[in-house]
Amino acid sequence: MIPYEEIEVPVPGGGLAALRWPAADPDAPAVVALHGITANALSWGTVARLLAGRVTLIAPDLRGRAGSSALPGPYGIAAHTDDVVALTEALRLDRVVLAGHSMGAFVAALAAVRYPDRFGPLLLVDGGIGFPAPTHLTPDELMTAVIGPAMDRLSMTFADRAAYRAFWQAHPAFAGAWSDEVDAYIQRDLTGEEPALRSTCRIEAVRTDGVGLFDDEVLGAVRKLPAEATLLWAARGLMDEEQGLYDERRLAAAGLAGTRVRPVAVEDVNHYTVLTGERGGQEVADRLVAFAYA
């Protein structure tokens, strides 16, 4: 794992924590990268290594997670976009390339639409393209349907860090895909004292953000993007199942014709390893560099 800097920028309610992996050349462009709904900034650790110093990578812990867990609400996709803008302003980043994985892709798309002068091209990683929620489900039922296993983890406790590692190593998505970066990423999520360690993710934040993914403005953001965007979609799903979040049929139904989004399939990866694995991470890293120097 390569070294990074811990930074903090002021946002409403306190400080937003972020990690910064500096480029080899201090004048190299920067990229801002946003994590998923129950993740944290270190989910980008593999990508940071594979960038090999070609750009500076900055990844915040979104409000209600990891180093930003203490930040109060209001939560929601729009709140995250405001925090991302505050981050870019504090770091004096202009027309920066913005990337997002899973929920982070929806945040990136909405930020680009709401603040078109602040961001350049977008890289959406297995997220950002949504579908209307089934009308017969309550918000809690909707969250269970979308990220039930992830929500369950937030209320669990673990005796020690080794127990948390074992929990994740048993996850189907990480079978044969464990690394130092993945270990650091999942360990950043823990807080508390043994024998009752728990996730830093605030359940209220996760629930609010999850329901917010079905907001009309959030769903419609990809159709209003002011700049070019690439969607890297994983062939396999959250539990490494054969059906991923996207496929050719679902993307056709999403009606992306006429938008600025270009879908690209990444084979032999799942929803997690499209970001944390070697194959997916290299694809993400190379496209970020191409966007940053375009």
Side-chain angles (χ1 to χ4, degrees):
M1 216 177 89
I2 64 173
Y4 55 82
E5 304 167 355
E6 295 256 8
I7 61 176
E8 186 177 277
V9 300
V11 294
L16 183 76
L19 306 182
R20 182 177 182 271
W21 288 269
D25 179 355
D27 294 326
V31 170
V32 172
L34 311 177
H35 63 71
I37 194 165
T38 61
N40 61 68
L42 272 182
S43 64
W44 292 88
T46 301
V47 171
R49 170 171 55 82
L50 295 170
L51 283 169
R54 292 174 288 175
V55 300
T56 291
L57 179 66
I58 300 157
D61 287 326
L62 295 177
R63 184 178 292 260
R65 286 89 169 163
S68 302
S69 180
L71 281 174
Y75 306 108
I77 307 304
H80 295 312
T81 68
D82 293 340
D83 287 345
V84 172
V85 169
L87 174 72
T88 60
E89 289 177 342
L91 300 180
R92 298 180 181 178
L93 302 175
D94 187 43
R95 300 293 299 170
V96 67
V97 173
L98 190 57
H101 173 241
S102 196
M103 182 196 76
F106 289 89
V107 177
L110 185 62
V113 170
R114 285 192 167 190
Y115 302 94
D117 295 335
R118 293 217 62 85
F119 302 106
L122 268 67
L123 184 65
L124 310 176
V125 184
D126 219 34
I129 313 297
F131 303 92
T135 56
H136 65 283
L137 297 181
T138 67
D140 284 333
E141 290 170 337
L142 185 61
M143 289 304 297
T144 299
V146 176
I147 57 166
M151 287 292 286
D152 291 343
R153 173 174 56 85
L154 305 188
S155 59
M156 297 171 65
T157 58
F158 299 85
D160 52 31
R161 291 185 174 273
Y164 197 51
R165 179 179 298 112
F167 172 85
W168 276 105
Q169 287 179 326
H171 194 294
F174 291 102
W178 199 256
S179 67
D180 289 344
E181 287 93 0
V182 171
D183 193 66
Y185 152 49
I186 64 104
Q187 295 294 342
R188 186 174 176 81
D189 181 47
L190 282 182
T191 189
E193 301 290 336
E194 297 180 4
L197 297 172
R198 57 180 174 78
S199 171
T200 61
C201 296
R202 291 195 174 193
I203 293 178
E204 178 191 354
V206 172
R207 184 179 182 278
T208 302
D209 293 347
V211 172
L213 292 174
F214 298 93
D215 178 82
D216 287 344
E217 185 185 11
V218 174
L219 288 174
V222 293
R223 293 170 177 80
K224 301 176 182 177
L225 293 177
E228 175 187 0
T230 295
L231 166 68
L232 295 179
W233 57 274
R236 302 179 71 84
L238 280 77
M239 302 296 287
D240 201 44
E241 68 271 33
E242 289 188 10
Q243 177 61 64
L245 295 181
Y246 306 110
D247 57 25
E248 298 288 356
R249 178 182 58 82
R250 289 180 177 179
L251 290 170
L256 297 179
T259 72
R260 307 189 77 168
V261 181
R262 177 175 173 256
V264 176
V266 185
E267 302 296 336
D268 301 322
V269 298
N270 60 50
H271 180 71
Y272 291 98
T273 59
V274 69
L275 184 67
T276 65
E278 292 295 312
R279 182 188 183 95
Q282 190 68 64
E283 183 80 20
V284 171
D286 290 345
R287 288 182 182 273
L288 288 177
V289 171
F291 270 159
Y293 286 96

